[in-house]
Amino acid sequence: MAGLPERLTKAAATSLLAGALGGAALLAGEMLAAKARRYAKPTMGLALRTSMGPAGAPPLRLVLLGDSAAVGVGVEWLADTVGGQLARLVADGSPETGPRHVLLSSVGVAGSRSMDLATQVARALLGARPDVAVILIGSNDATSLRDPEEAAGHLGQAVRRLRSAGVQVVVGTCPDLGAMRSLAPPLRQIAGLVGRRMARAQAKAVIEAGGSVVDLGAETGAVFRADAGTLCYDGFHPSADGYRVWAHALYPAVAKAAMSGV
């Protein structure tokens, strides 16, 4: 019996090693499967531009920056994008704010990471200055395992440049990646953890840079996890319903920013 503890220790170590190797193989397989999936592509070009609301109402220039969310990948109609639905909410207004004539544009590019925001900020500041900028970024930083602090640093720089130009800025931080049905467990759970780390770093950087933060993961993640209809066919990008959920989460901060710029 004297050798039993040693045998148990060796057996446990062997089991842990096998489990670790098996887990790594499982994750590797899931990552390959996720990369091989057919994902939605942009259908409306790289720039969206429209206007909404009464022509005689006070104008508001609203620009979106960021990744696929900023150009509405996953839907086919501008009205179904988060920008289109957000612009409609702002245009309709409330008893406190009244209606606005919203001039909506987007300089977002699908696949963008935070390091790409510098070019987008330059494009956003060409011509007439926007009143409010909404930045949706972080998913690609997280899924490509970028350092959260480094990615957040690029985001903070973008916010500072916009604020220095007199633009009010609202940032929707990295959404709940644990709600993505394009990933199988446990990769989905890992993505959720990585996304939350990214969102925390983003929030800190944005506040320090003078912007407003909307924690999309905290505010809308439960809805996306419960309702598969909030994602489009690829299980990664939002559907029209998903973008509507995001638009309603962003609206209070955007309405406040719009009033600050009056």
Side-chain angles (χ1 to χ4, degrees), residues 139-155:
S139 294
N140 295 311
D141 291 297
T143 55
S144 59
L145 299 180
R146 299 285 168 174
D147 177 68
E149 299 300 329
E150 180 183 350
H154 289 295
L155 174 59

Side-chain angles (χ1 to χ4, degrees), residues 8-24:
L8 288 176
T9 300
K10 289 180 180 179
T14 301
S15 296
L16 286 173
L17 178 59
L21 292 174

Side-chain angles (χ1 to χ4, degrees), residues 23-37:
L26 175 62
L27 288 174
E30 289 181 358
M31 291 175 69
L32 289 173
K35 288 182 179 180
R37 287 179 65 94

